[in-house]
Amino acid sequence: QVQLVESGGGLVQAGGSLRLSCAVSGSILSLNTMAWFRQAPGEQRDLVARISSGGRTYYKDSVKGRFTISRDNAKHTVNLQMNNLKPEDTAVYLCAASRTYWAERYEYWGQGTQVTVSS
């Protein structure tokens, strides 16, 4: 059984940085797609970035050049480095995983970590 636990959220001023981490219990090698989503109050869950087992990446347009997703199979983690944060990045960030390559739907979800960016 796969479990995902996020950490690294917090309060930061606009222009600052945060690094989110998703710890994976179970076999990360079987998870061909890992992703970060975010959900702001009153809004739908939105894909921020995803990474395949081979390192292929996708980013939402509004975070390109500011966010970097990476995975460390040896440490069983998936990270999201967020730089030059903006107030509109404020949301609960959730880690997701799928056994399907380049998945659109995800079988496993974490509980989320709050990111708040003040102006």
Side-chain angles (χ1 to χ4, degrees):
Q1 182 69 15
V2 172
Q3 291 185 324
L4 308 176
V5 179
E6 302 95 336
S7 62
L11 173 64
V12 64
Q13 288 187 331
S17 298
L18 283 174
R19 183 177 177 84
L20 304 184
S21 185
C22 175
V24 180
S25 64
S27 174
I28 192 172
L29 295 179
S30 68
L31 301 174
N32 287 304
T33 311
M34 301 290 301
W36 285 95
F37 285 75
R38 68 187 181 189
Q39 187 165 21
E43 297 186 13
Q44 65 180 16
R45 191 172 293 180
D46 197 22
L47 176 64
V48 175
R50 61 179 169 179
I51 186 168
S52 74
S53 51
R56 178 186 180 188
T57 57
Y58 160 86
Y59 296 95
K60 177 181 174 66
D61 282 347
S62 62
V63 308
K64 284 181 181 177
R66 301 189 297 123
F67 290 12
T68 303
I69 189 171
S70 62
R71 61 188 289 168
D72 186 332
N73 291 336
K75 294 183 178 179
H76 286 235
T77 58
V78 176
N79 302 305
L80 186 69
Q81 178 66 43
M82 305 186 296
N83 298 328
N84 190 22
L85 282 160
K86 303 177 180 181
E88 52 263 41
D89 295 319
T90 295
V92 174
Y93 283 70
L94 303 105
C95 179
S98 174
R99 299 184 188 279
T100 301
Y101 180 80
W102 213 237
E104 295 289 339
R105 296 183 178 182
Y106 296 81
E107 302 93 277
Y108 307 104
W109 291 87
Q111 294 298 308
T113 186
Q114 177 70 45
V115 171
T116 303
V117 185
S118 63
S119 56

